[in-house]
Amino acid sequence: QVQLVESGGGLVQAGGSLRLSCAASGNTICISAMGWYRQAPGKVRELVARIPREGSTAYADSVKGRFTISRDNAKNELYLQMTSLKLEDTAVYYCHTTTAPAGTVVDGDLLPDRCGFGMDHWGKGTLVTVSS
C-alpha cells in the first residue's frame, strides 16, 4: 500500500499562485507514474497533470503554460506549481499514483512481491479556492 498526503491548498486571488505538495509513504518503491487530479463542485474528477517516473509530463489543455508538475523521487514527493490562477481552477486537488506490479523492473530494480498486482492510490485531497 501507498499513502498519499496532500498539502498547500488554500484561498488565493485570481492571478495568484499556489504550490501543492504530496508526500508518499509506505511501499514507495512500487510507485510508477504520479499525477494531480481535481474535482470542482458538481463536476467529474479530471486529470490536471501527470508525470512518469522518468520521461515527459502531460497536462490538461486548461492548465498548460500555467501549471508545472514535478517530483522528487528521492523524497517521494510530488508537486504542482500553479500560477495565473483562474476562478475555474477552484476545486479539490487530489494526488494520485499508479504502482507497478511485482516483477516489474523500475530504475533497474526488480520490484518485490509486496508490490502485488499494482494499483491506483489516491490522497484525500486539498481544497484550492480562487477568488475574484
Side-chain angles (χ1 to χ4, degrees):
Q1 292 290 336
V2 172
Q3 294 77 44
L4 303 172
V5 179
E6 304 95 337
S7 61
L11 176 65
V12 63
Q13 285 193 323
S17 300
L18 274 179
R19 186 186 192 226
L20 304 184
S21 298
C22 172
S25 60
N27 289 330
T28 56
I29 191 175
C30 311
I31 290 176
S32 179
M34 300 189 77
W36 290 96
Y37 286 72
R38 68 185 181 186
Q39 187 166 16
K43 295 190 176 181
V44 299
R45 192 172 298 188
E46 62 176 359
L47 175 68
V48 175
R50 192 170 185 270
I51 183 170
R53 196 167 184 89
E54 298 289 344
S56 301
T57 55
Y59 295 91
D61 288 343
S62 59
V63 306
K64 282 181 181 177
R66 299 189 298 121
F67 291 10
T68 302
I69 189 171
S70 61
R71 64 191 286 179
D72 185 329
N73 292 333
K75 294 182 178 180
N76 297 309
E77 293 185 350
L78 178 71
Y79 310 101
L80 185 69
Q81 180 66 48
M82 305 184 293
T83 63
S84 301
L85 283 160
K86 303 176 180 180
L87 297 179
E88 53 264 40
D89 294 320
T90 295
V92 177
Y93 284 71
Y94 296 92
C95 180
H96 170 267
T97 185
T98 301
T99 51
T104 304
V105 176
V106 175
D107 291 343
D109 294 322
L110 187 66
L111 295 189
D113 290 344
R114 66 177 183 270
C115 292
F117 294 105
M119 60 185 294
D120 290 332
H121 301 268
W122 295 91
K124 293 183 178 181
T126 185
L127 177 63
V128 173
T129 303
V130 183
S131 65
S132 58

